[in-house]
Every structure is written in structure tokens, then in C-alpha cells.
Amino acid sequence: MKARHKRLGFILVGLVVLGLATTLVLKALDSNLSYFFSPTEVVEHKAPENHVFRLGGLVAAGSVQRGEELTVRFVVTDNANSIDVAYTGILPDLFKEGQGVIAQGRMSPSGEFIADEVLAKHDENYMPPEVAEALEKGHQEGVKNMAKGNKAI
């Protein structure tokens, strides 16, 4: 075998090993990634069905219901659509109705979002960029739907 063929063989084996390592790393990262979705995107079935993701929006006014033990149920809205959320645990001190929230968890077969973690905004001026963008989209959609409804009258 010539030296050139040996080099080509080493390069090919190296590329195969590199490709295999890259594939394994990406698969490991994919199982740990948690994507953000708004209630509208969840209603439109853009969120994964059997995968953990983040749901963000505002806690709807009058929707917080404290159940048995530490289970709390509330509604997250982006002013266009709403999703029911159930969380068992201690909520952050800043959690309240009308405030921005991000819940991490997965959808149940019944259509309720089961949260493993709930994050609330930390001061009066801050809102996570994803939540702000989702609320703006929801607001624009709501205005558009109201305009359509008014034209029909």
C-alpha cells in the first residue's frame, strides 16, 4: 500500500469517527434542550407532544386555584389563546396574576400543561424576551380578530 493510500485511509477513518462523535453529542443535547412556546403555538400543535418544553405568557386574572397539598392550577395566556397549567410545588414569591411567567414541563393527554418548574419575572421592568414577543404576537392576533368581527357586524 502506498503512503498516499494510507493517509487517505486515516483521513476517512478520522472523518467517520468525527461524524459519529458529533451525532452522539447532538443526540445527548437534544434530550436536554427545552424550547419555548407561547399558548397560541401550543394550541396550533407546534409544541412537541412527548417532550419537555417551556410555556410562557401572562397568568390570567382570577385563574389561580390552590388545591390539595401543594398543587396549584392557573391559566397562562398570550391574550390570543390560553392554556391550563398544573404545578405541584412551591411557587416563586413574585408569582401573581397578571404577571409574566414561564413554566417548564409537558402536555398531558387531557390537554393540561403539567409544569415541573415555574419561573416568575423578577422585577417590575423585566419580562423574558420570549414572553414579550409572544404577548405582542397574541395582541396583534387579538386586534386582527376583533377587526374581522367588527366588519361582519
Side-chain angles (χ1 to χ4, degrees):
M1 197 178 236
K2 293 182 180 178
R4 186 166 60 177
H5 288 128
K6 285 183 183 179
R7 266 192 310 244
L8 184 60
F10 283 130
I11 290 173
L12 287 175
V13 168
L15 288 175
V16 168
V17 169
L18 182 64
L20 182 62
T22 302
T23 302
L24 291 175
V25 167
L26 290 176
K27 284 196 179 271
L29 286 176
D30 187 44
S31 64
N32 291 327
L33 288 178
S34 178
Y35 296 104
F36 175 85
F37 293 93
S38 69
T40 298
E41 291 170 326
V42 173
V43 168
E44 294 171 350
H45 303 291
K46 292 180 181 177
E49 291 185 24
N50 293 320
H51 196 277
V52 173
F53 65 93
R54 290 182 175 184
L55 172 69
L58 296 175
V59 178
S63 69
V64 178
Q65 300 172 353
R66 302 196 185 273
E68 295 178 17
E69 298 177 13
L70 293 176
T71 301
V72 179
R73 295 188 188 296
F74 56 94
V75 176
V76 173
T77 183
D78 62 0
N79 296 325
N81 290 291
S82 300
I83 299 290
D84 293 331
V85 177
Y87 174 68
T88 302
I90 298 173
L91 290 169
D93 290 337
L94 296 174
F95 177 88
K96 60 182 175 180
E97 296 173 357
Q99 296 294 324
V101 67
I102 294 179
Q104 181 170 315
R106 62 181 68 221
M107 293 299 291
S108 71
S110 65
E112 183 177 49
F113 186 81
I114 307 299
D116 301 323
E117 180 180 16
V118 174
L119 306 169
K121 73 181 217 174
H122 68 276
D123 73 14
E124 289 302 314
N125 299 320
Y126 177 76
M127 181 175 290
E130 298 93 348
V131 173
E133 184 179 319
L135 289 173
E136 181 61 30
K137 271 183 171 175
H139 176 70
Q140 290 171 355
E141 232 177 84
V143 169
K144 207 181 324 178
N145 290 340
M146 283 177 34
K148 286 180 184 177
N150 289 340
K151 288 181 182 176
I153 293 176

